């Protein structure tokens, strides 16, 4: 594991500042194409940080990129390299590649690693061809979220028109300490239905998960169709839509 994944508590993590020499500057920063970064328990996660840099002599590149939780200063992503694409004589887009294997996460800090989910920030040092450099903190904020899972099961199948259908399921999310998925309690999850032949699902009701993430509710069936659960996510946990369970009439 590279040194970038070893977390250091940064006492100034919440205070933005920039310093350096000359007129090289960061124009904009986009993390993961503007999308959240979601990390599970097994698969390596890699994502880009695109930093647009400008200097009158042209852009040489990046010499430091780091990213960590804005509130507690911990982070677990390695900077594994970068490339720069020239847009003009003065401006380039330098893209840093960040990566983590979930197996590394628990060893990267001395707290419950799940607390590292949430709002993260980006720091970088940018360099120009004439020797100018700029150390930029708090270039961009983005969300790092725990991956989630959601199941749906509708019974009995088939069901008579006007009969009762029980829709169950379970919401769970990645635990970065144990590398398992554990039930997510106390969350509002939407039950959605799509009539056979229809193009879209519609929300029928909202149900709160139980102590182990369980979901259960009863509905009256008026036509054949598919049922699913939808969880919109939180600041620390990814949104998820279950697979639909198609139910036919007797």
């Amino acid at each position: 594991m590279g040194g970038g994944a070893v977390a250091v508590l940064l006492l100034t993590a919440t205070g933005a500042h920039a310093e350096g020499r000359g007129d090289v500057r960061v124009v904009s920063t986009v993390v993961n194409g503007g999308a959240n970064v979601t990390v599970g328990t097994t698969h390596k996660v890699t994502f880009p940080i695109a930093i647009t840099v400008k200097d009158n002599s042209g852009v040489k590149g990046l010499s430091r990129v780091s990213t960590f939780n804005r509130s507690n200063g911990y982070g677990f992503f390695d900077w594994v390299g970068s490339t720069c694409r020239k847009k003009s004589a003065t401006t380039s887009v330098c893209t840093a590649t960040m990566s983590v294997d979930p197996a590394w996460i628990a060893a990267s800090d001395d707290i419950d690693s799940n607390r590292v989910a949430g709002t993260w920030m980006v720091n970088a040092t940018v360099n120009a061809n004439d020797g100018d450099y700029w150390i930029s903190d708090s270039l961009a904020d983005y969300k790092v979220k725990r991956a989630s899972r959601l199941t749906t099961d509708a019974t009995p199948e088939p069901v008579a028109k006007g009969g009762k259908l029980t829709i169950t399921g379970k919401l769970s999310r990645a635990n970065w300490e144990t590398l398992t998925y554990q039930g997510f309690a106390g969350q509002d999850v939407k039950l959605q239905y799509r009539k056979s032949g229809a193009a879209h699902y519609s929300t029928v009701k909202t149900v709160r998960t139980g102590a182990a993430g369980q979901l259960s509710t009863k509905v009256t069936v008026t036509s054949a169709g598919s049922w699913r659960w939808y969880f919109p996510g939180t600041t620390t946990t990814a949104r998820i839509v279950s697979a639909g369970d198609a139910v036919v009439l007797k």
Side-chain angles (χ1 to χ4, degrees), residues 27-39:
V27 176
S28 65
T29 302
V30 178
V31 180
N32 199 31
N36 297 325
V37 176
T38 300
V39 181

Side-chain angles (χ1 to χ4, degrees), residues 9 20 44 124 171 186 190 210 218 242:
L9 183 60
K44 183 177 180 180
L171 174 65
K190 299 179 186 300
K218 293 184 181 295
S242 75

Side-chain angles (χ1 to χ4, degrees), residues 38-90:
T38 300
V39 181
T41 62
T42 56
H43 297 297
K44 183 177 180 180
V45 174
T46 300
F47 67 94
I49 300 177
I51 303 172
T52 301
V53 186
K54 184 176 183 179
D55 184 82
N56 61 359
S57 70
V59 177
K60 183 177 182 180
L62 308 174
S63 58
R64 178 186 66 98
V65 181
S66 62
T67 181
F68 45 85
N69 182 288
R70 176 171 284 281
S71 297
N72 57 43
Y74 286 96
F76 47 66
F77 290 111
D78 262 331
W79 173 35
V80 296
S82 57
T83 59
C84 291
R85 177 176 56 85
K86 191 173 181 178
K87 293 183 66 178
S88 70
T90 61

Side-chain angles (χ1 to χ4, degrees), residues 31-226:
V31 180
N32 199 31
N36 297 325
V37 176
T38 300
V39 181
T41 62
T42 56
H43 297 297
K44 183 177 180 180
V45 174
T46 300
F47 67 94
I49 300 177
I51 303 172
T52 301
V53 186
K54 184 176 183 179
D55 184 82
N56 61 359
S57 70
V59 177
K60 183 177 182 180
L62 308 174
S63 58
R64 178 186 66 98
V65 181
S66 62
T67 181
F68 45 85
N69 182 288
R70 176 171 284 281
S71 297
N72 57 43
Y74 286 96
F76 47 66
F77 290 111
D78 262 331
W79 173 35
V80 296
S82 57
T83 59
C84 291
R85 177 176 56 85
K86 191 173 181 178
K87 293 183 66 178
S88 70
T90 61
T91 305
S92 295
V93 178
C94 294
T95 301
T97 300
M98 313 302 292
S99 180
V100 70
D101 183 330
W104 302 342
I105 294 176
S108 71
D109 58 59
D110 56 8
I111 62 172
D112 178 354
S113 296
N114 297 303
R115 289 174 52 195
V116 187
T119 301
W120 284 44
M121 61 185 287
V122 176
N123 292 350
T125 299
V126 299
N127 299 274
N129 289 328
D130 60 3
D132 291 352
Y133 70 94
W134 199 251
I135 303 169
S136 298
D137 290 354
S138 196
L139 291 175
D141 282 357
Y142 66 104
K143 294 290 195 308
V144 176
K145 297 193 175 188
R146 298 161 66 178
S148 54
R149 290 178 175 174
L150 187 57
T151 62
T152 298
D153 185 35
T155 57
E157 298 180 62
V159 64
K161 184 176 182 179
K164 291 290 186 181
L165 195 65
T166 300
I167 315 291
T168 59
K170 181 177 180 179
L171 174 65
S172 56
R173 61 176 175 170
N175 184 318
W176 292 335
E177 287 285 322
T178 63
L179 299 181
T180 60
Y181 279 80
Q182 296 182 339
F184 194 10
Q187 302 302 306
D188 289 335
V189 182
K190 299 179 186 300
L191 177 65
Q192 298 185 328
Y193 173 70
R194 183 182 67 192
K195 186 176 180 180
S196 293
H200 304 290
Y201 281 87
S202 298
T203 296
V204 175
K205 63 172 70 174
T206 299
V207 179
R208 180 156 290 192
T209 56
Q214 311 100 318
L215 290 158
S216 183
T217 191
K218 293 184 181 295
V219 294
T220 300
V221 177
T222 58
S223 60
S226 295

